[in-house]
């Protein structure tokens, strides 16, 4: 296995890659892509049932990988896994969506989301960095979102976690760059994963509390945008290329919708953008 200082020109050399939340969606696609490129892949999942799904998908793709049971909000187990695996590349993907108006989200729900989407990935990165420093370098890939750059109603706490992840990752990137450790943000747009299931779940949970129309409008907007939604494979390819690069970019926007939203956002004055968004959501 090559150490971080030897990454230059060695795109196909084996790395040990730890991918959190690897049983579905972007995490599964990334784990399969990395394994297909010849890397040692360890995917984390929260149960043996999810592990079975991971290995079934790996078998169908003709690749092999390992798994470890990990709930990323468990700091002790996270430390055990990191110290055992000593990953050259850590892909922080585990997380979940939350579509809900800010005023209706209870403190404990917001705290769990922030712990999962912000505290946990930074903790795992913090644990992995000493091992990567000993190796001479490494990669920490943070799966963020276009919603880490822009804001819209009905996803305030999710966006708060992603904006925070981007801010802390920016600081971390500068702090460890001198050790040959690359901290990379991957910012997908909307992809064909379980996005509709998450939205429908939250719409049912918060039904009858004044935001039903907004939930309905949000779903209609997503349905009209399915043509632009990307395949998780494009995120997986981006992650793999970043890991195999000796000079990865700080950020990778993935998906035409993400690129369009990022380009348009600074061009529209806040008051106009707010008005247009409120009309779109029926607020």
């Amino acid at each position: 296995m090559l150490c971080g200082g030897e990454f230059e020109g060695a795109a196909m050399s084996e790395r040990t890659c730890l991918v959190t939340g690897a049983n579905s969606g972007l995490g599964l696609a990334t784990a399969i892509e990395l394994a297909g490129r010849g890397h040692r892949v360890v995917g984390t999942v929260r149960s043996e049932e999810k592990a079975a799904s991971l290995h079934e998908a790996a078998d169908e793709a003709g690749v092999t990988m390992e798994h470890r049971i990990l709930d990323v909000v468990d700091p002790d187990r996270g430390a055990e896994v990191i110290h055992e695996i000593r990953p050259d590349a850590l892909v922080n993907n585990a997380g979940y969506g939350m579509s809900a108006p800010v005023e209706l989200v209870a403190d404990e729900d917001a705290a769990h989301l922030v712990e999962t989407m912000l505290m946990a990935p930074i903790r795992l990165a913090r644990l992995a960095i000493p091992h990567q420093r000993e190796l001479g370098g490494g990669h920490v890939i943070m799966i963020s979102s276009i919603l880490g750059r822009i804001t819209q109603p009905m996803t305030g706490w999710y966006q708060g976690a992603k904006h925070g992840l981007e801010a802390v990752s920016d600081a971390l990137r500068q702090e460890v760059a001198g050790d040959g450790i690359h901290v990379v943000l991957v910012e997908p747009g909307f992809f064909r994963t379980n996005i509709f299931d998450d939205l429908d779940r939250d719409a049912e949970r918060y039904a009858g509390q004044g935001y039903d129309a907004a939930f309905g409008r949000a779903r209609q907007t997503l349905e009209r945008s399915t043509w632009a939604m990307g395949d998780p494979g494009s995120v997986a390819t981006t992650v793999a290329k970043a890991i195999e690069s000796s000079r990865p970019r700080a950020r990778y926007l993935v998906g035409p919708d993400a690129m369009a939203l990022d380009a348009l956002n600074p061009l529209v004055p806040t008051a106009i953008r707010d008005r247009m968004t409120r009309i779109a959501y029926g607020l």
Side-chain angles (χ1 to χ4, degrees), residues 132 173 235:
Q132 294 183 349
R173 182 183 66 251
V235 176

Side-chain angles (χ1 to χ4, degrees), residues 188-233:
F190 297 98
F191 279 78
R192 293 189 293 272
T193 54
N194 57 351
I195 187 170
F196 287 102
D197 293 340
D198 289 344
L199 178 60
D200 291 342
R201 175 204 65 210
D202 291 330
E204 181 177 354
R205 178 179 183 181
Y206 297 103
Q209 300 184 65
Y211 289 91
D212 292 355
F215 275 113
R217 294 283 188 91
R219 199 181 205 292
Q220 289 172 6
T221 299
L222 283 177
E223 289 171 350
R224 288 195 296 265
S225 303
T226 52
W227 65 271
M229 291 183 182
D231 184 274

